[in-house]
Amino acid sequence: MHNHWRRFLPNKQQRLNEYGDARLHSLRFVAEAARLVDILKQSTPPHGKTALVAYYRTLLLAQTPQAVIAQWQMDAHKHGYHDREKRLYELIDFNDSYVALLLNAGHLADQAFIEQLKADMDALCRRLHTPSFSAEQFDAITRGLAREVAVYHAAQQLGFGVHMTSRTEDAFGIDMVITHPETRHELNIDCKTPAAFRRRLEELVRHDHISEADLLQADEDNFITINQHRGSEVVPVNLMCIRPDTVGEIHNFMFDEPHKIEELLNKMFASGNRVPSSVPRKKSGRINKKVVA
């Protein structure tokens, strides 16, 4: 399939359009967008930041109509419906592509970049006769992903090893794996807003996985290590609370004060992935990587 495209794309600028807007302009139906998503996913991501940004931008835009439909259905049926798992997968897949785009875009991912992305999403949805993300929905998605992208950038800047996971594959709810440069110890990170962190802690208390004392300690530490299960496989996951009072503000997907994240990461590494005593320990599993140049 690649070779077929390349016959019509002889020069450098046109090769970039292999993953650029030219592919999107021919789409007229949601099913065609879904087929383009499948084709792009089955292809090998290109080399180089510019080509990767173009690739993930096209992939994200092609995923948008189905993700929008999924988001509206999820919002309309808070308590579930028969296709919920499929819709959730589509949203997670969309988020993975969005994160990959933001990571590869780096400093290009400013306010103007995001506004243009939203405008292009809206234009494609209009052409395919689907709803668009509301400003509130898109803002919530973008702000949610901004936290994990900012943690990734900060960890990288501070000299830690870091790679994103593919949430559609690992099923442990892990956003990224951060490796200590000296000890090579790893942290499986799940970034949480303060509200989501608190909800998760209260849920763990309700199910007798942690005690009230564990909750209070985690609230003070801004993290807790728990074991995530899938069949017989168990991995330690570090829920990391991204609290502006503790780690500072985020602008353009970067922390204003990365050293504050370093303090929190060092504290997490020092804990040695210790889980509260009420949570059983088991052998760790392996985590899949996402392509980031």
Side-chain angles (χ1 to χ4, degrees):
M1 188 64 73
H2 280 96
N3 292 335
H4 174 73
W5 296 341
R6 288 182 194 279
R7 281 205 298 274
F8 300 96
L9 303 164
N11 65 44
K12 184 177 179 181
Q13 184 57 44
Q14 288 173 317
R15 280 203 305 276
L16 177 58
N17 287 339
E18 179 178 349
Y19 300 106
D21 292 346
R23 300 298 316 283
L24 296 162
H25 286 312
S26 65
L27 300 178
R28 290 294 176 268
F29 305 101
V30 174
E32 290 178 351
R35 278 198 295 275
L36 177 56
V37 169
D38 289 340
I39 288 167
L40 289 169
K41 283 183 164 188
Q42 288 163 20
S43 68
T44 303
H47 295 292
K49 286 291 185 187
T50 304
L52 274 170
V53 169
Y55 168 83
Y56 281 115
R57 195 173 189 283
T58 295
L59 177 59
L60 181 68
L61 287 166
Q63 288 174 306
T64 297
Q66 285 180 294
V68 168
I69 294 166
Q71 184 68 64
W72 281 101
Q73 287 180 338
M74 296 282 280
D75 290 349
H77 303 278
K78 298 286 188 187
H79 303 293
Y81 54 100
H82 70 286
D83 267 349
R84 183 178 175 84
E85 193 170 330
K86 183 169 184 280
R87 298 287 84 87
L88 186 60
Y89 178 91
E90 287 167 352
L91 285 172
I92 289 171
D93 208 19
F94 174 89
N95 285 351
D96 275 351
S97 297
Y98 198 175
V99 167
L101 172 62
L102 294 171
L103 291 177
N104 283 291
H107 291 287
L108 294 175
D110 57 11
Q111 190 61 35
F113 180 93
I114 299 304
E115 287 173 2
Q116 185 60 55
L117 187 65
K118 176 66 163 73
D120 291 344
M121 288 178 173
D122 291 350
L124 179 62
C125 288
R126 274 195 304 274
R127 199 164 71 245
L128 271 53
H129 307 292
T130 69
S132 300
F133 285 122
S134 68
E136 294 75 20
Q137 286 171 332
F138 184 72
D139 186 55
I141 292 168
T142 303
R143 279 189 291 108
L145 298 180
R147 282 179 284 271
E148 61 189 78
V149 171
V151 171
Y152 179 98
H153 282 312
Q156 204 171 48
Q157 289 167 14
L158 295 164
F160 294 99
V162 55
H163 70 257
M164 303 302 289
T165 63
S166 172
R167 282 158 290 197
T168 53
E169 293 173 7
D170 71 56
F172 289 105
I174 297 164
D175 297 324
M176 72 194 75
V177 179
I178 297 179
T179 306
H180 195 283
E182 294 166 10
T183 64
R184 310 309 298 167
H185 290 162
E186 292 184 344
L187 298 176
N188 298 320
I189 302 289
D190 180 5
C191 300
K192 297 287 188 190
T193 64
F197 185 66
R198 182 72 188 197
R199 279 197 304 273
R200 188 75 176 96
L201 292 177
E202 289 171 352
E203 183 183 82
L204 289 166
V205 169
R206 271 200 313 275
H207 290 93
D208 296 321
H209 292 310
I210 65 172
S211 66
E212 287 282 356
D214 293 327
L215 180 150
L216 294 173
Q217 187 63 53
D219 207 37
E220 183 181 328
D221 291 340
N222 289 307
F223 77 93
I224 189 171
T225 305
I226 61 170
N227 280 332
Q228 292 282 60
H229 301 255
R230 183 178 62 186
S232 60
E233 194 175 9
V234 181
V235 298
V237 177
N238 297 274
L239 307 183
M240 183 181 190
C241 183
I242 310 301
R243 204 185 304 275
D245 292 348
T246 306
V247 296
E249 299 290 342
I250 296 169
H251 292 96
N252 291 343
F253 307 98
M254 305 271 189
F255 281 108
D256 294 346
E257 303 166 277
H259 68 275
K260 290 188 173 182
I261 275 286
E262 185 172 23
E263 292 172 18
L264 180 53
L265 285 173
N266 284 335
K267 192 158 66 168
M268 293 168 75
F269 275 112
S271 78
N273 275 333
R274 282 194 302 275
V275 298
S277 57
S278 52
V279 182
R281 301 173 193 224
K282 287 195 183 179
K283 191 178 174 182
S284 296
R286 292 180 63 80
I287 304 301
N288 295 310
K289 296 184 181 181
K290 177 187 294 170
V291 177
V292 180

